[in-house]
Amino acid sequence: ASEWMARRQGQIAATLSYLQTCVQDLHQWSIGPLTVACAWDYLLFRFGEHDWAARFPAIGDWYRVWADRPSLAQTRPVPPG
């Protein structure tokens, strides 16, 4: 199971590395940036211990601009408890 998870983490990191190179294309709100924002929210929710914003600062900075949009803020996953 840990080998499987390591492969998934590698795939996530590769995708985020690619997105870092084209984050400037995510500034016009459409289905693409919405998808990236939802995926980022999910990573923070499920795997927050990985400090994604430190590893991928351009995406973290981009996300902070959009994070307070009502469409995102109202549907953001909330940890139980």
Side-chain angles (χ1 to χ4, degrees):
S2 63
E3 183 179 319
W4 181 88
M5 184 57 98
R7 281 196 313 268
R8 297 296 85 73
Q9 293 292 330
Q11 291 167 338
I12 291 168
T15 300
L16 294 174
S17 291
Y18 169 75
L19 288 171
Q20 284 267 114
T21 68
C22 59
V23 74
Q24 71 280 355
D25 297 330
L26 300 174
H27 289 291
Q28 183 168 348
W29 197 243
S30 67
I31 193 68
L34 174 60
T35 302
V36 173
C38 290
W40 187 259
D41 258 345
Y42 182 77
L43 288 175
L44 296 177
F45 175 70
R46 289 286 290 155
F47 306 105
E49 70 276 6
H50 290 278
D51 198 10
W52 300 106
R55 292 175 60 194
F56 304 98
I59 299 170
D61 291 344
W62 166 83
Y63 177 77
R64 278 188 281 287
V65 171
W66 298 103
D68 291 331
R69 286 179 67 94
S71 57
L72 289 176
Q74 293 172 2
T75 59
R76 182 169 295 119
V78 178

